[in-house]
Amino acid sequence: FPSHDSSTVVSVLGISSQAVAIACGAYHTTILMNDGTVRACGANSTGQLGQNDVSTRSTVVSIIGISSQAIAVACGQYNTVILMNDGTVRVCGLNTNSQLGLNDAVNRSTVVTVVSISSQAVAVACGYRHTAILMNDGTVRVTGLNTSGQLGQNNTTSKSTPVPILGISSQAIAVACGTYYTTIILNDGTVRGCGQNTNGQ
């Protein structure tokens, strides 16, 4: 896009067909293509576009290292999470609260694999500064900021690697995150939630 607001819909330059999913962070957009690549544009101050730099992009670029096999995307405030078809998860961007799940708090400007998720991930979701990963055994793993209990650990201690949400031992089929909370659909059609509830969310 040009660097000005648009009050009507316009086509994204460079995406003429084949987009299958999208996700947005605070100031960046990711687009999953049907060939398993991911395109991104927008702010890149913490490397969330996966370009091995921190330069903003006003047109879409392919995320480096994702040449095929991506099947889902999610964005936190300033980070990007990509689910691969082998059940692994790739991440880049802001990591000051360990939302990338890499056992440190170092930002990444290129995608890296979350080591503790070697396979079996089936969905990803991001909050403001936490990440949730649905596993094929019906559990949900979470990492990052936990100031409001959004990681479901019965405490408010943040985590630097993905840990299972307590009380979800199986049966989870979908996960979504708000700013400081996490919600989960179970296979019986019920919904579980944890985290901030100041507005009844």
Side-chain angles (χ1 to χ4, degrees):
F1 289 117
S3 296
H4 56 77
D5 296 345
S6 179
S7 60
T8 59
V9 293
V10 293
S11 295
V12 175
L13 297 176
I15 307 293
S16 58
S17 64
Q18 303 180 330
V20 294
I22 54 176
C24 298
Y27 302 106
H28 75 293
T29 301
T30 58
I31 304 166
L32 175 65
M33 306 301 291
N34 70 357
D35 63 359
T37 60
V38 179
R39 311 274 176 88
C41 60
N44 192 35
S45 58
T46 60
Q48 60 264 50
L49 302 186
Q51 298 301 300
N52 198 30
D53 62 31
V54 291
S55 299
T56 294
R57 300 301 200 285
S58 60
T59 57
V60 292
V61 291
S62 294
I63 292 185
I64 297 169
I66 307 294
S67 59
S68 64
Q69 302 182 329
I71 60 173
V73 290
C75 296
Q77 182 194 26
Y78 300 125
N79 65 289
T80 301
V81 177
I82 302 166
L83 175 65
M84 307 301 290
N85 68 1
D86 62 0
T88 60
V89 176
R90 310 277 176 87
V91 291
C92 61
L94 187 72
N95 194 38
T96 53
N97 297 104
S98 299
Q99 56 266 53
L100 301 185
L102 301 173
N103 201 30
D104 62 32
V106 179
N107 297 345
R108 300 302 199 286
S109 61
T110 57
V111 291
V112 294
T113 301
V114 179
V115 176
S116 61
I117 307 293
S118 58
S119 64
Q120 302 181 331
V122 295
V124 289
C126 295
Y128 171 67
R129 292 193 179 182
H130 75 290
T131 301
I133 302 166
L134 175 65
M135 307 300 291
N136 69 358
D137 63 0
T139 62
V140 178
R141 310 241 184 118
V142 285
T143 186
L145 189 68
N146 194 34
T147 51
S148 297
Q150 59 264 49
L151 302 187
Q153 299 299 298
N154 198 30
N155 59 43
T156 56
T157 303
S158 297
K159 299 294 181 184
S160 60
T161 58
V163 295
I165 289 184
L166 300 178
I168 307 293
S169 58
S170 64
Q171 301 180 326
I173 60 170
V175 63
C177 298
T179 304
Y180 298 115
Y181 64 100
T182 303
T183 55
I184 301 159
I185 298 177
L186 299 183
N187 62 6
D188 62 0
T190 60
V191 178
R192 308 286 171 86
C194 58
Q196 189 179 72
N197 194 38
T198 53
N199 294 289
Q201 58 266 53

